[in-house]
Amino acid sequence: MNFDIIHIEETDSTNRWLKECHKGVDPIVAWAEYQTAGKGCGSNSWESERGKNLTFSLLIHPEEIPANEQFRITEITSVALCETLERYLDEKAGIKWPNDIYVGDKKICGMLIENQLQGSKIKSCIIGIGLNVNQQQFLSDAPNPVSILQLTGKETDRKELLSRFLSAFEEAYYRKTISSAYRERLFRRGKESGYRDDTGDFTATLTDVTPDGRLVLQDTNGQERLYAFKEVQFII
Ligand code: BTN
């Protein structure tokens, strides 16, 4: 993969920009210094101070990945982000299912993956990533953000960080053992913790994630509970 990087001063959202403005060849990365309407998951927005972080999107055509295995894109991206971040941090980075990158109990990175499917194939895939790099203070009501600067006290060269991530992404893309690497890094794996679903709060142990990306929890009655994205919340 030889990513062409387009550096944009300002746009509403790099995911939207790639979808609507880019008509050239891929693989391509759109990196914006500032997004006026950065999209988070669901109806959330993504806070990122101008010029301080990495807010970028990749456009790929993953012909090798069938539509029913699209969760692999989440696995690849999450593992590549953790491995890249660990070059800068003293601590390990973990994956809060399905695709938030955490350091300790704090979120350092989020992603928004938008796949366009055609029959059993992925026609195109946009992977939007918001990585907190040099921001000192977070003002929105995002629950627990953190940046590399807050963790290390040091400024990070964002261009170098982006280029390291792209190399890690390419390596992870072809790695045979990516699913196990994803599962080994799961936040709270094997630990009893609090969760909330539409029946209320409960205690459970995170045991696995199914190949199609559903979370497997075992509650204190030994009952296995399976959840799709947004059906369960981690109580942090
Ligand atoms: C989340 O809510 O955790 C997902 C955040 C994804 C934010 C990134 S920033 C670059 C790309 N463009 C967007 O509008 N969103 C994603």
Side-chain angles (χ1 to χ4, degrees):
M1 282 175 205
N2 200 359
F3 282 100
D4 216 355
I5 301 177
I6 302 181
H7 197 184
I8 308 160
E9 201 41 51
E10 179 175 310
T11 182
D12 49 359
S13 151
T14 52
N15 273 35
R16 207 255 344 136
W17 190 92
L18 272 183
K19 229 176 285 168
E20 288 168 26
C21 303
H22 172 67
K23 302 280 175 261
V25 289
D26 71 286
I28 193 152
V29 173
W31 168 22
E33 287 296 326
Y34 187 64
Q35 297 184 118
T36 53
K39 289 195 287 177
C41 288
S43 56
N44 297 342
S45 59
W46 183 254
E47 176 196 345
S48 182
E49 194 181 330
R50 186 184 293 272
K52 294 286 181 187
N53 301 308
L54 280 175
T55 46
F56 63 100
S57 304
L58 277 62
L59 170 67
I60 55 169
H61 289 89
E63 274 149 29
E64 307 82 344
I65 305 179
N68 61 5
E69 290 177 26
Q70 57 185 295
F71 189 66
R72 254 168 64 196
I73 299 168
T74 300
E75 295 174 342
I76 292 163
T77 313
S78 305
V79 171
L81 281 164
C82 288
E83 291 176 352
T84 307
L85 278 167
E86 283 166 8
R87 299 179 66 153
Y88 296 85
L89 304 174
D90 294 331
E91 299 158 77
K92 268 197 105 62
I95 303 161
K96 176 173 161 279
W97 175 86
N99 57 13
D100 285 342
I101 308 302
Y102 265 52
V103 181
D105 273 353
K106 293 187 179 267
K107 177 164 167 174
I108 194 160
C109 178
M111 73 187 79
L112 179 64
I113 299 181
E114 299 184 280
N115 288 325
Q116 207 190 340
L117 305 182
Q118 190 169 56
S120 60
K121 293 195 158 72
I122 302 173
K123 192 169 173 225
S124 68
C125 167
I126 292 178
I127 305 168
I129 296 172
L131 177 51
N132 299 329
V133 186
N134 293 323
Q135 188 160 336
Q136 292 263 19
Q137 222 190 342
F138 292 88
L139 305 171
S140 76
D141 52 4
N144 47 1
V146 75
S147 67
I148 301 180
L149 176 70
Q150 287 176 323
L151 291 169
T152 63
K154 283 188 266 186
E155 291 257 345
T156 295
D157 180 331
R158 292 174 300 142
K159 197 170 170 204
E160 183 180 82
L161 175 61
L162 176 58
S163 130
R164 286 180 167 166
F165 165 72
L166 294 175
S167 307
F169 178 86
E170 179 168 5
E171 191 278 318
Y173 189 91
Y174 295 107
R175 202 186 302 171
K176 295 272 181 281
T177 53
I178 200 68
S179 321
S180 51
Y182 174 89
R183 281 155 188 76
E184 277 158 24
R185 286 185 176 276
L186 281 170
F187 174 74
R188 286 190 175 172
R189 187 180 184 204
K191 295 197 186 107
E192 219 173 66
S193 325
Y195 295 89
R196 182 170 300 140
D197 69 8
D198 56 9
T199 65
D201 293 1
F202 61 98
T203 302
T205 305
L206 191 163
T207 57
D208 204 358
V209 171
T210 60
D212 64 353
R214 281 172 301 159
L215 183 70
V216 187
L217 298 179
Q218 188 166 53
D219 67 21
T220 44
N221 300 320
Q223 204 75 35
E224 200 162 88
R225 303 188 186 203
L226 223 59
Y227 293 98
F229 186 40
K230 296 277 180 203
E231 288 178 352
V232 67
Q233 251 180 283
F234 289 57
I235 300 174
I236 294 185

